[in-house]
Amino acid sequence: MNAAVQGTPVAAGRELAVPALSLVVLVGATGSGKSTFARERFAPTEVLSSDVCRGLVSDDENDQSATSDAFDVLNLIAAKRLAAGRLTVVDATNVQQSARRSLVALAREHDVLPVAIVLDLPEAVCAARNAARPDRAFGPHVLRRQRTDLRRSLKGLAREGFRTVHVLRSEEEVAAATITRTRLYSDLRHETGPFDVVGDVHGCRGELESLLGRLGYELVRDETGRPVDAVPPAGRRAVFVGDLVDRGPDTPGVLRLVMGMVASGAAFCVPGNHEVKLLKALRGRPVQVTHGLAESLEQLDREDEAFRERVREFLDSLVSHHVLDGGRLVVAHAGLPERFHGRASARVRDFCLYGQTTGETDEFGLPVRYAWAGDYRGRATVVYGHTPVPEPEWVNGTICVDTGCVFGGHLTALRWPEKDLVSVPASAVHHQPARPFPAAAGPGGGSGDGAVAPVAAVRDPDLLDVDDVLGRRVVETAEHGRVSVREENAAAALEVVSRFAVDPRWLLHLPATMAPVATSAREGYLEHPDEAFSAYRADGVQHVVCQEKHMGSRAVALVCRDADAARTRFGAPGGATGAVWTRTGRSFFAPAATEQLVGELRTACERAGLFEELGTGWLLLDGELLPWNAKAEALLRGQYAAVGAAAHAALPFAVDVLERAASRGADVAALLTRTTERAAGAEAFREAYRRYCWPTDGLDGVRFAPFALLAAQGATFEERPHAWHLDVADRLVASGPDRLAGTRRLDVDTTDDGSTAAATAWWEELTAGGGEGMVVKPAANRVRGPRGLVQPGLKVRGREYLRLVYGPDYLREENLLRLRQRSLGRKRSAALREHALGLEGLARAARAEPLWRVHECVFAVLALESEPVDPRL
């Protein structure tokens, strides 16, 4: 069972099969041509030469005193390559078993296959080659000793642990040899699905037929009416997670159907621990006839020997696990940590079959297992069985689909990539479990031999661990792949959140930064709508929506329908029923004021019917808190007002002095013109920030402008068009007009000049009236273009507002010329990465994943804010 490498062996010395992920050990005496062989058949980076390593540590490749250090270096590099999943070739004599032993151990440590390629050339050939090389100044006794060691080793290489041994015995064989890289049998990344992953069947043929029928498969029956195959719908294929046999009423019927499906290409199958035990029994090896094996053997005894031989061959052909769909899906009977994906070793096979235990047993005699899924951080989704659970539950990108059919539960399948679950109920309790079923279980636990066994070290879903957010992080997102977080930025994010943020149980989301439009070349403008429309048109986005950009503070509001919902889902920190926080996670107001604002938002949501309509106990809103000074009063006083006051005090006086000097005939015309322009700019600067401020006292004067509904119980809404979100916002504003502010918008066709001209005129009207500008967004909301995820929004700020960003005099030609050189690449990259992280965090929150999984995304967004990006963009 569990043959590791695909490909038929061919004659040694011609085509040499080497697994694509393996440790290739070249074996041969000095002068046998190992280095030449490696150089001609492998990439330079794949070959680790002991001579080269000796030179690295001693500056002399022939310094034998440096051999120990050289092999330390070689082994370290080999370990790093194997850990990264890279084929590695070791070019050394390796004629002694002690030298090979450490390399076989290294391969086992990294769960890859060790392969030996032996160059057993005649001694005379090796001697002649050594004589022609001036750096081989050693006596013939060295070559004879190496040849003797090599001859002693040849018959025992397989016993040492080499899974494949190729021996080349002549110069002609070496010259003719080619390397063929073969896929591991577990490597089915080229099979892209879609798939239907079926949980543990355990001899329940009737339920399997029903489930396949629900999934759209058409059964194929033999002349006696027995199902022997199934035709899948629309190119789909089934994947069985193992434990087809034992306990149930018809193990032969299940095997006949699944074997037929695998043979016809309609299904894949991995082995379970019950298949392994059954195979041993069918081969006559001693096993304990327990956990339903007796029923399987009795049922198979009623079949003919030809069928039993087919079963033996089928079970022997099953591979430990499958890596499918470009590496995005892994199927293994008992699950599999990321470090074992696509690897081949006894350790990997054992984990796939049995999981990992603590060495303890519970009161039912069942082994206690480590909760591997609770610590899983891998990129691939892992689907497994082995552990009967009452209901499938997603845990960190893993899911168990064994729902205890044989114990009276259900037979379940996961549809991939849809991630839909389809199940049929058991027709009866076919086997009494050792532990009553159903029963609660932690992720990754169970024995596979009873019902549900307890697990060890199950992490509290709400327990936060500093190790989850510190150090260099890589967060996997569905929309933008892997997002990296630098160690120093992660530390900065932890500092902010731990000291200033709202209670972490509320903190489900931080809004992403927003990229500005490309710099405009239009005279007198730094930003203009034309660049936004052009950018989206280039990305194939025809319809966009232009939204009024409120000049306030970005705010996220979490509103629970009642105290019970707040307590059940979030623990109701401080007895609150919600929270309102900034882009950095800080609360806007003291607890009493926050609860008042949340209460008013809840009333508006109730009046608008949102809780009822969406079937949720909580809502997460994205919006803007107005006025600007409600949060930024210190910034206004310390930065903007101070600059404005200084300029207002100094520049008019300077203009007056220069005017009087000019009236007396002094040549100050140029200076007067410039100072007058500066005074006008300073006054415009003062007027710009005054437009966004008005008196507030607590919540008096404060308004909230919602523009998106981010998430609710079990749902996110990034697939809904912006029109839907803005209509929801309008309903809220109509339900709470005293506290809520509306958002004006305009639909635009980027391919219609009239439409874009009207939008530009609207933007000019907004900004002339004191507005900050507008945000242009794809009407469909989340959009993917030829280059991947399209920017979720581009802000186009008005001429006067930009005085606050770039200074009162930014419109002077020399300043505009300099500002037009601004670089937007980092800002745009950050906007896309933060947006993808935000979507990922919302999806995890909606799925009620553990809080630390949500915070992984929240912290990453905040950490990216610490990257060196021009804050004025």
Side-chain angles (χ1 to χ4, degrees), residues 1-20:
M1 179 178 283
N2 198 31
V5 181
Q6 295 186 12
T8 304
V10 294
R14 297 181 61 84
E15 187 174 353
L16 312 183
V18 171

Side-chain angles (χ1 to χ4, degrees), residues 678-732:
R678 290 184 64 199
E683 189 59 31
F685 176 85
R686 295 180 74 200
E687 290 301 317
Y689 68 74
R690 284 174 171 174
R691 293 188 182 107
Y692 312 123
C693 305
W694 59 78
T696 63
D697 182 11
L699 288 182
D700 290 345
V702 171
R703 306 191 76 191
F704 180 77
F707 47 73
L709 179 55
L710 296 171
Q713 189 173 315
T716 60
F717 304 104
E718 71 276 4
E719 298 287 353
R720 306 284 182 99
H722 277 295
W724 180 85
H725 288 270
L726 291 168
D727 286 345
V728 168
D730 287 346
R731 290 163 57 188
L732 288 174

Side-chain angles (χ1 to χ4, degrees), residues 222 378 418 489 732:
D222 63 10
E418 301 88 346
N489 296 343
L732 288 174

Side-chain angles (χ1 to χ4, degrees), residues 191-233:
E191 301 287 357
T192 57
F195 301 109
D196 300 303
V197 187
V198 181
D200 300 34
V201 182
H202 278 303
C204 300
R205 178 184 56 79
E207 289 86 345
L208 177 57
E209 290 186 32
S210 298
L211 179 62
L212 291 175
R214 284 203 59 189
L215 292 168
Y217 290 71
E218 295 183 9
L219 294 176
V220 177
R221 300 181 183 273
D222 63 10
E223 63 278 1
T224 65
R226 299 177 301 188
V228 295
D229 196 359
V231 179

